[in-house]
């Protein structure tokens, strides 16, 4: 039942975004009563849990605010300078919901949730350092491998620049690019099992998505911004800085399905380069058929990997067996390395480094 999915989404952000929680809880009640939310969500009644219809609704409403279409609602949204008054939120939302019912229904039906959270660069950067150094050790090399990064489900490609981000640690150390316009406080507990004095060298990067977001356009920037919970200003500011970095260092994201795209890029191995296949918080959106095809493509490439053309899989995805926290997991071929490097929240910050076998 759609109202139950909305209520579950509200519960999921209860400790992180009171504004989104209240909006979705009130929308769930409105759905149950057959109110305006039911008209907005018409056609989505059979959406599965993984498509997160509640978050698509919240994103569409947030975009109205960002576009200046809902001034009464905007006063509740910190992303545009507002201050939430939760008891009055739904009352002030109703005029916009009624006025823009058709627009909201169209946007909710035509989009998928794409947070493209730049905070995930923090665990990714540490994981890439580990991968480059462990693959080098397995090959008997003194110097870590250069990295070619291939991202599946890349959205706007904001996480394809991990080497151009500054990571400011709590001991005063800065990793990555100290002069970057995007500065992250990773909030790490522990450290990656790697020599952090080695600089990550990225010699190639590419990404694909079924619905890539062109972050060079106002529409693309609004699309990604709408999915940031409006009362999480740290995330909001990170996204602003990540969009500025993307403008200075553009990377094209191909419109393609993951398995076919991966097969094309993995058909070409580069000597003395570690190829890293990467994805984060996309697995729930991938069909079972594409998951199986992706695994087969990766297995074929892994069987062909050599010590001088190694292959790695680095993923940041939820794991139910660890209370739905998000785990950073690494496999390297032909070294036979398979590790869970640590766990964190879905937005990548904070993160705890704790190496265990990936079984």
């Amino acid at each position: 039942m759609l109202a139950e999915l909305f209520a579950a989404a509200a519960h999921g952000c209860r400790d992180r975004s009171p504004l989104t929680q209240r909006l979705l809880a009130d929308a769930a009640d409105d759905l149950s009563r057959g109110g305006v939310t039911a008209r907005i969500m018409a056609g989505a009644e059979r959406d599965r849990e993984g498509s997160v219809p509640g978050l698509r609704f919240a994103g569409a409403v947030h975009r109205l605010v960002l576009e200046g279409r809902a001034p009464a609602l905007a006063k509740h949204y910190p992303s545009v300078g507002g201050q939430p008054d939760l008891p009055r939120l739904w009352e002030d939302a109703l005029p916009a919901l009624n006025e823009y019912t058709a627009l909201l229904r169209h946007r909710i039906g035509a989009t998928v949730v794409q947070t493209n959270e730049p905070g995930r660069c923090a665990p990714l950067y540490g994981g890439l350092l580990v991968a480059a150094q462990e693959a080098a050790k397995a090959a008997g090399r003194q110097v870590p491998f250069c990295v070619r990064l291939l991202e599946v489900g890349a959205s706007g490609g904001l996480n394809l620049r991990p080497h151009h981000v500054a990571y400011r640690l709590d001991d005063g150390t800065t990793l990555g690019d100290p002069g970057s316009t995007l500065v992250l406080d990773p909030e790490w507990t522990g450290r990656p099992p790697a020599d952090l004095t080695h600089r990550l060298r990225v010699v190639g990067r590419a990404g694909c998505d079924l619905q890539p977001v062109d972050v060079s356009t106002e529409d693309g920037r609004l699309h990604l911004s709408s999915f940031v919970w409006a009362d999480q200003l740290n995330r909001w500011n990170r996204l602003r800085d990540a969009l500025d970095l993307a403008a200075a260092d553009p990377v094209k994201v191909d419109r393609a399905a993951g398995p076919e795209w991966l097969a094309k890029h993995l058909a070409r191995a580069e000597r003395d380069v570690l190829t890293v296949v990467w994805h984060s918080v996309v697995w729930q959106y991938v069909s079972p058929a594409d998951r199986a095809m992706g695994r087969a493509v990766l297995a074929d490439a892994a069987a062909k990997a050599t010590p001088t053309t190694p292959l790695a899989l680095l993923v940041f995805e939820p794991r139910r067996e660890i209370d739905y926290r998000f785990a950073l997991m690494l496999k390297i071929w032909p070294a036979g390395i398979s590790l869970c490097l640590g766990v964190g929240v879905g937005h990548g910050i904070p993160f705890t480094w704790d190496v265990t076998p990936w079984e």
Side-chain angles (χ1 to χ4, degrees), residues 270-289:
E270 294 188 15
R271 186 176 178 83
D272 296 324
V273 172
L274 171 65
T275 296
V276 180
V277 176
W278 152 258
H279 60 79
S280 65
V281 199
V282 298
W283 207 233
Q284 70 192 66
Y285 304 112
V286 180
S287 71

Side-chain angles (χ1 to χ4, degrees), residues 98-261:
N98 282 295
E99 181 177 358
Y100 294 107
T101 297
L103 177 61
L104 290 167
R105 182 167 60 245
H106 168 74
R107 286 180 173 172
I108 290 165
T111 62
V112 297
V113 173
Q114 291 180 305
T115 53
N116 204 197
E117 172 57 53
R120 294 175 193 143
C121 270
L124 168 62
Y125 182 85
L128 289 174
L129 288 178
V130 174
Q133 293 177 32
E134 290 299 321
K137 290 177 186 176
R141 294 166 52 107
Q142 298 298 314
V143 178
F145 276 99
C146 298
V147 168
R148 175 173 64 133
L149 186 60
L150 304 177
E151 184 176 13
V152 178
S155 187
L158 297 184
N159 290 328
L160 283 168
R161 303 168 184 83
H163 55 314
H164 290 322
V165 177
Y167 306 92
R168 189 168 54 201
L169 306 186
D170 54 10
D171 62 2
T173 303
T174 297
L175 306 179
D177 181 359
S180 177
T181 57
L182 175 57
V183 180
L184 299 181
D185 295 319
E187 298 182 35
W188 283 350
T189 297
R191 293 291 186 264
D195 183 347
L196 301 185
T197 64
H198 282 291
R199 188 160 187 166
L200 178 67
R201 296 176 296 158
V202 177
V203 296
R205 57 231 166 105
C208 76
D209 200 282
L210 288 174
Q211 299 185 52
V213 180
D214 185 352
V215 296
S216 70
T217 67
E218 180 65 14
D219 180 72
R221 292 189 291 270
L222 277 171
H223 179 70
L224 291 184
S225 300
S226 70
F227 289 115
V228 175
W229 292 335
D231 49 353
Q232 291 192 326
L233 291 180
N234 285 340
R235 288 185 60 214
W236 178 261
N237 292 329
R238 282 204 300 264
L239 180 61
R240 299 294 95 195
D241 292 343
L243 290 170
D244 288 344
L245 180 59
D249 178 35
V251 180
K252 184 178 182 293
V253 178
D254 298 324
R255 184 179 297 275
E260 294 86 353
W261 183 87

